[in-house]
Amino acid sequence: MNDIFVFNRIRCSVSDDNDIVLQGFCSEKIFLNTEALQIVLKKSSGEDKKITARYDFSKAPLDKKNLFGAGKTVKTFSAIITLIEKVEDDERLYMYFKESETDNTVELYSCTGKELKHYTDKLNYCVDSVESDGKNIMIKGWAVDAHDVEFKLVKIEQGKEEDISFELNRYTRSDVAESFAELDNTKDIGFVVKLANNKYKMRLYLSAGERHEEYRVNGSKGVSRIPVVNKAKNVINKTIMNTKNYGLKSTWLKIKIRFRTKAAFATANYNTWIKKRMPDKKELARQRDMKFEYSPLFSILVPLYETDEYFLDELIKSVKNQTYKNWELCFSDGSKDSERLRKIIENYSKADKRIKYTDDKKGPLGISDNTNQAYEIATGEYIVLGDHDDLFTPDALYECVKVLNNKKVDVIYTDEDKTDEKGKKFFGANFKPDFNIDLLRSCNYICHMFVASKKLVDEIGTFNSEFDGAQDYDFILRCVEKANEVYHIPKVLYRWRAHSNSTSERPDSKLYAFEAGRRAIEAHYKRLGIEAIVENGDHLGQYKTTYKIKGNPLISIVIPNKDHVEDLKKCMDSIDEKSDYKNYEYIIVENNSEEDITFEFYKQLEKRDNVNVLYWDKEFNYSAINNFGVKEAKGEYILLLNNDVEVINGDWLSQMLGYCQREEVGIVGARLYYEDDTIQHAGVVIGFGGIAGHTFVTLDEDSDLYQSRTKVACDYSAVTAACLMTKKKIYEEVGGLEEAFKVAFNDIDFCLKVRATGKLVVYNANAKLHHYESKSRGAEDTFEKKERFNSEIKLFRSRWPEILENGDPYYNVNLTLDKADFSIRV
């Protein structure tokens, strides 16, 4: 058998003691034919016994080209095997695959009962790192079992063990949960054991049911003062632990994948890149000397809570270093005991009257009440939100004032990144688009730095404690609802501090915040009178909106077709069989087919009440063909669709319609995959490749793509007409597809025409289809094709020079136009 099956790991189930789990990687032949898989227990006496199992396969393919050879679709799998009786040491467990072509039985895996016991007696855990911040030691990792995992820490002196007190925090590890298909509840997999710095030799004991493990820690001696040494130790430790838990093959595979899929925003690359772009001393001096006609006072609101003194000092320094000097720093302390921080800030206030402090309300205060208390002492024309452990770049306020001297906007936000505990290394940049309402409803992409006029805040109200944890999300949503204009500065002017207790380092540490975020979006819709359901998305902090459909409008699905009957039939069958929305008609536009079977199929289609076959007898012109079909459409909504697509999720059509019914929306696009489940379309950026191109094309969306953008709804300048919905009145208003674009750029041009009317073009990640277009399709391989393509490029440039020159507002000038992966522009 030439198909791939790689044994990875056998372990005890983490949901049921009676189950064992066999994990690995397999090729398409296996995961599409699980009925051919057999689990057999060969007993030492008596007949062999077949054992029941259920199978779980990953949604997306694993790396294909370099790991398993070109053209191989490979997925991870879990076989969850229920054992009714104990397996004796001399008995053997087998996994077979029965080939239908030859009727041969191929052994995929086997192990003895003794080996099985060895594997399943181990507790599933891993220590990722041991770190020190100078005061405390943090042991970070994950542990999961069918039983509750208990922790015990002891110090070892002269061969004797003595218990040590420690602080234990548990949190979700969604990255680990993916390896445990049988697990329903993914909470509390991760752990951080925190204890005071010491030089003892220690052991961390983990136990769950009858399974016990121990991990040795050498106290602060084991944590080097040189960060590189600690990183090397942690990498070695993770490699050893991964080998222990998953096996050598799995570890080697992960290493190969890590090298192949090195992130575009890798720390070293970005750190070097951003440092070259920071304003130098000469530029900062120029900014300090700048005299503005309009010089508003900025009130920077910072709620304090048990704040680290070092981080507080660094924050204050970053504000005092601002090149624009008209600011006040308003601190509110909501700690249980505010005496410590009051003394520190009083010393700063004596030296600089712009630093203000209040702790009038007795703590502990929630973050909303704490921030509102800071707002009470603010006197500025604009308020700026800041966290107590973060940093502002020295030009942050200067860049805002520069904007305000050109236009008096109500809201400003900027790009941001993260910095390490010492504030020396930078990573995790968030280069944002200009204001993008659908992205904001999918995640709080605005976050920091956020500036709002005090007049606006007085109108919409301060922070609402109902949304603590996502109070800034709720606040931002209320601000943009009423703002006269929302302005984006595409520069990194704010830095999140990533440390062991920060949300930026461990987003799983504040799960309540993500639920509060979901409720904040619901409240936003309620204020606007929009009926919608908000659910959690694929990742923490991402959300999915389903808009309630008004009425039961007819959708006209316009499909151009030339032969390729099998493709057309597959497309229509998937719509008819899977779609939950049923009020649609087909407009099939026949254009110059040559095969008899095609016209025989049309005769069958014409018997259906909801199918209208039109015949186009002129030369091929994609725009003209679609315009011809739309003229005959009876529907209020038009769906332009290619004949080589296949529906994946049943609510695709209702999802698109729900978005398209919004008054401010002109066009809705879909998430399209190639046959191998890599991205074919997830929105279009103007400027890619010099003209326009699909975002993330040919990439695997489960390989840490930028901000997981393929998985959330957001606004773009354009989407592909391979699956594009619009209102018929809008289609007619802008004149449909421009027929001068016979083949290329007609859909992009159409989207830009609709955008010019003030309507939004929305990429709806919740409408998913396969698009069986070849990845090499579109090669201009004849003189005539090249001439036509070049003329269409020239025409597009002449029609849309401004966006090509100034850049796509839904992209970011710091990101490259040479690739579709949202990597840095170098």
Side-chain angles (χ1 to χ4, degrees), residues 6 34 39 47 60 73 101 260 283 285 367 432 459 489 604 622 679 746 768 787:
V6 179
T34 57
I39 310 288
E47 296 182 357
T73 300
E101 300 92 341
R260 278 198 70 249
E283 169 59 19
I367 190 167
K432 307 166 189 178
E459 178 185 353
I489 301 175
Q604 297 175 28
Y622 181 82
I679 290 295
N746 36 56
K768 294 181 283 187
E787 282 291 296

Side-chain angles (χ1 to χ4, degrees), residues 340-386:
R340 175 179 66 91
L341 294 177
R342 183 193 301 118
K343 290 179 179 178
I344 295 170
I345 295 177
E346 281 177 352
N347 290 330
Y348 281 107
S349 297
K350 288 176 183 177
D352 192 331
K353 298 300 181 185
R354 294 174 299 177
I355 299 175
K356 304 163 74 173
Y357 175 86
T358 178
D359 60 356
D360 288 349
K361 296 177 182 177
K362 186 177 180 180
L365 296 180
I367 190 167
S368 291
D369 291 338
N370 204 3
T371 309
N372 291 342
Q373 184 171 239
Y375 185 74
E376 290 174 5
I377 60 173
T379 60
E381 294 166 73
Y382 286 85
I383 65 110
V384 182
L385 304 183

